[in-house]
Amino acid sequence: MTEDDAEDRLRALCLSLPEVVEGTNHHGEPAWRIRRRTLVQISERHPAGRRSFWVPAPAGAKEAMTAAEPDRFFAPPYG
């Protein structure tokens, strides 16, 4: 699957949810929101050289996921 295919699949999934709107984040990268809260965004900046998508996670999930699969999951630079 190419990056464009993955982005198209992510877009379709997000837009299939009620009240989701597509826009961009403050860096001009694709982002999807529900009532002005970010649902998911794509980043080509962090981690450097790796295109990724960011989603909020419940308390403790980020730590558990990054500990279990550090090559797949990461903590964004702001938190």
Side-chain angles (χ1 to χ4, degrees):
M1 173 183 313
T2 68
E3 287 181 1
D4 289 337
D5 292 339
E7 185 174 326
D8 289 344
R9 288 181 65 192
L10 180 61
R11 174 177 286 110
L13 177 63
C14 290
L15 294 176
S16 73
L17 300 170
E19 299 185 55
V20 172
V21 294
E22 182 173 355
T24 57
N25 65 17
H26 58 281
H27 293 285
E29 299 163 321
W32 295 269
R33 294 179 176 79
I34 298 174
R35 293 185 218 117
R36 297 175 48 178
R37 291 197 58 164
T38 299
L39 169 67
V40 62
Q41 66 182 6
I42 293 177
S43 176
E44 295 189 20
R45 298 167 294 107
H46 300 291
R50 179 177 165 190
R51 192 165 194 226
S52 58
F53 68 91
W54 300 10
V55 295
K62 176 178 60 176
E63 294 78 11
M65 293 167 72
T66 56
E69 295 185 68
D71 291 337
R72 183 174 183 191
F73 300 106
F74 65 94
Y78 61 80

